[in-house]
Amino acid sequence: MSSRNTIILAAGKGTRMKSKLYKVLHRVCGKTMVDHVLTQVESTNMDRIVTIVGYGADDVRKQLGDRTQYAMQKEQLGTGHAVLQTEPLLGDVDGVTLIVSGDTPLFRAETLQKLFDYHEAKGDVGTILTSIAPNPTGYGRIIRNDIGLVEKIVEQKDATSEEQAVKEINTGVYVFDNKALFNALHQVKNDNAQGEYYLTDVIEILKAAGQRVGAYRMSDFSESMGVNDRKALATATKVMQRRINEEHMANGVTFIDPDHTYVDVDVKIGADTIIEPNVQLKGHTVIGEDCMIGANSEIRNSVIHDGVTITSSFIEDSDMADGSDIGPMSHLRPDAHIGENVHLGNFVEIKKATIGARTKVGHLTYVGNAQLGTDINVGCGVVFVNYDGVGKHESIVGDHSFIGSNSNLVAPLNVADHSFIAAGSTITKDVARHDMAIARERQTNKPDYWSKLPHKPEDK
């Protein structure tokens, strides 16, 4: 039975990236380039996917896991040689095989599907995905005959001046009859400027054998962008970012300034949420409906429920329930769980703590390793002292309690519901229900202290 297969080329080191990180593992909008490619390929319902690895093979495997099979290219001898390494896995398979590079993160599944459909409709042995490039420098050129049929692909370094003037380029994506592909690969030679085995030579080999090779020209050239250096990485990120933001806007999200708003590819945002300029939404963040995400906020891997207001604050690995608000200049560190209609004011930091519904933490307060109940008022400058120099300890504060300003709650500590902490207290013992705890030095006034000063400031 005929099958659909994909080979992803991901063996190159990418020396032009000038990086310790292997090229295909550089990220575009929160996801590695090779993961972008694999994700789109998976959407086209492949029977088999094989990723060719070489440099950084273990890191690529760690990133992609068991979503794909792997073939190793131990020596970097060109794209034709790379594809040949998949022969033990695919060589005897009946069907068609897509070949795509792992450094092309902008391809859409719909484009790859159209390529498959075109290939199957035409019945050719191979189909090249092409596009018209505004500036074709660096790309392989599609050379057609006088009736428009593909004659060959010429690499930039091997092209004549006339061939270099051609603007139709090879995107590096192909669909081949699988068995014909591997038969042709064994005939590829390396007598070229680079001394490499070019995959593109398969085209001429197939044509010389009397078989037809077609070309499907896609409309959006930007999808074909390969990333070989940091400049191209930045450009690809811009293209992807615009695509992501436009999709959210189409789904009912307002971006005040989409050109200056950064949203990763896996972020989800509900309708009627407003995103102000310079916001960064990263990782697997989920934003609910009717939220206001204020300018200069950053949210990572967090869940923000409906009707939440975030004003110029940083939130990571946390969640905020319906109707809560935070900021400006506040920080939710990992494992902060904020209940419904909670108010967190300016310069508040929460870490590994739960804040119950309707509790108010106004400003200049640190809450770490704590469980706060509902309807609590936490005054200005309160510190939950959770670390004794060796380990972290937990504080528990019951419902409807009052924590006065500038208090220190030294864990481990249990403050019962409906209790009071007097302002300026350092609390080290548990507080019972309905009690008020006061722990501060008795005030002492020294009479006529002024006269004892050796150098008195002017008294007005």
Side-chain angles (χ1 to χ4, degrees), residues 150-377:
V150 176
E151 285 290 319
K152 60 181 178 178
I153 303 173
V154 181
E155 296 298 322
Q156 168 83 27
K157 60 184 78 72
D158 298 315
T160 66
S161 57
E162 183 180 356
E163 290 168 339
Q164 288 184 14
V166 173
K167 289 195 171 183
E168 185 178 13
I169 57 94
N170 173 26
T171 67
V173 178
Y174 316 87
V175 174
F176 290 105
D177 173 87
N178 189 66
K179 289 184 176 178
L181 167 66
F182 285 100
N183 180 60
L185 284 170
H186 283 286
Q187 302 174 55
V188 173
K189 307 297 182 184
N190 66 340
D191 50 352
N192 51 62
Q194 294 295 102
E196 294 183 350
Y197 297 90
Y198 290 154
L199 176 60
T200 50
D201 288 351
V202 166
I203 305 301
E204 293 184 68
I205 291 169
L206 293 173
K207 289 184 68 63
Q211 296 176 301
R212 290 191 313 172
V213 176
Y216 172 70
R217 184 185 297 171
M218 66 180 189
S219 58
D220 185 359
F221 168 72
S222 69
E223 287 191 45
S224 68
M225 183 183 303
V227 175
N228 292 313
D229 55 29
R230 304 293 182 131
K231 181 179 177 181
L233 182 66
T235 302
T237 298
K238 273 289 186 185
V239 173
M240 180 70 77
Q241 191 58 79
R242 184 171 62 252
R243 182 189 297 177
I244 291 168
N245 291 357
E246 287 175 353
E247 182 176 347
H248 285 300
M249 288 187 282
N251 291 330
V253 180
T254 294
F255 285 81
I256 302 300
D257 185 357
D259 289 338
H260 295 90
T261 304
Y262 181 94
V263 182
D264 274 349
V265 67
D266 290 323
V267 171
K268 302 183 187 306
I269 309 174
D272 291 314
T273 284
I274 298 173
I275 312 292
E276 292 190 333
N278 298 318
V279 166
Q280 298 184 59
L281 305 178
K282 296 183 176 181
H284 291 83
T285 290
V286 177
I287 309 288
E289 297 183 353
D290 303 299
C291 294
M292 168 63 79
I293 312 299
N296 305 308
S297 295
E298 181 174 341
I299 306 173
R300 298 179 181 176
N301 298 311
S302 296
V303 177
I304 310 300
H305 291 267
D306 297 343
V308 173
T309 298
I310 297 171
T311 306
S312 301
S313 294
F314 181 25
I315 299 172
E316 51 181 332
D317 301 293
S318 297
D319 60 85
M320 296 183 68
D322 294 356
S324 56
D325 69 272
I326 185 173
M329 305 303 173
S330 290
H331 186 184
L332 297 187
R333 291 168 60 191
D335 292 322
H337 305 285
I338 310 305
E340 292 185 2
N341 299 306
V342 165
H343 168 64
L344 305 175
N346 55 297
F347 297 100
V348 170
E349 182 173 329
I350 312 289
K351 190 270 302 183
K352 201 174 184 181
T354 300
I355 311 295
R358 299 175 301 283
T359 288
K360 294 178 173 59
V361 184
H363 38 288
L364 298 164
T365 290
Y366 171 71
V367 183
N369 295 85
Q371 296 183 41
L372 276 65
T374 63
D375 301 288
I376 297 169
N377 187 85

Side-chain angles (χ1 to χ4, degrees), residues 4 6 36-46 98 100 104-117 129 173 216 218 223 240 243:
R4 281 187 174 185
T6 293
H36 275 293
V37 174
L38 178 57
T39 298
Q40 297 306 305
V41 166
E42 288 171 327
S43 298
T44 60
N45 299 316
M46 291 293 108
L98 169 75
V100 61
T104 53
L106 298 175
F107 277 115
R108 301 176 191 260
E110 305 91 272
T111 300
L112 302 179
Q113 184 63 54
K114 288 177 181 178
L115 174 61
F116 271 116
D117 293 344
L129 182 62
V173 178
Y216 172 70
M218 66 180 189
E223 287 191 45
M240 180 70 77
R243 182 189 297 177

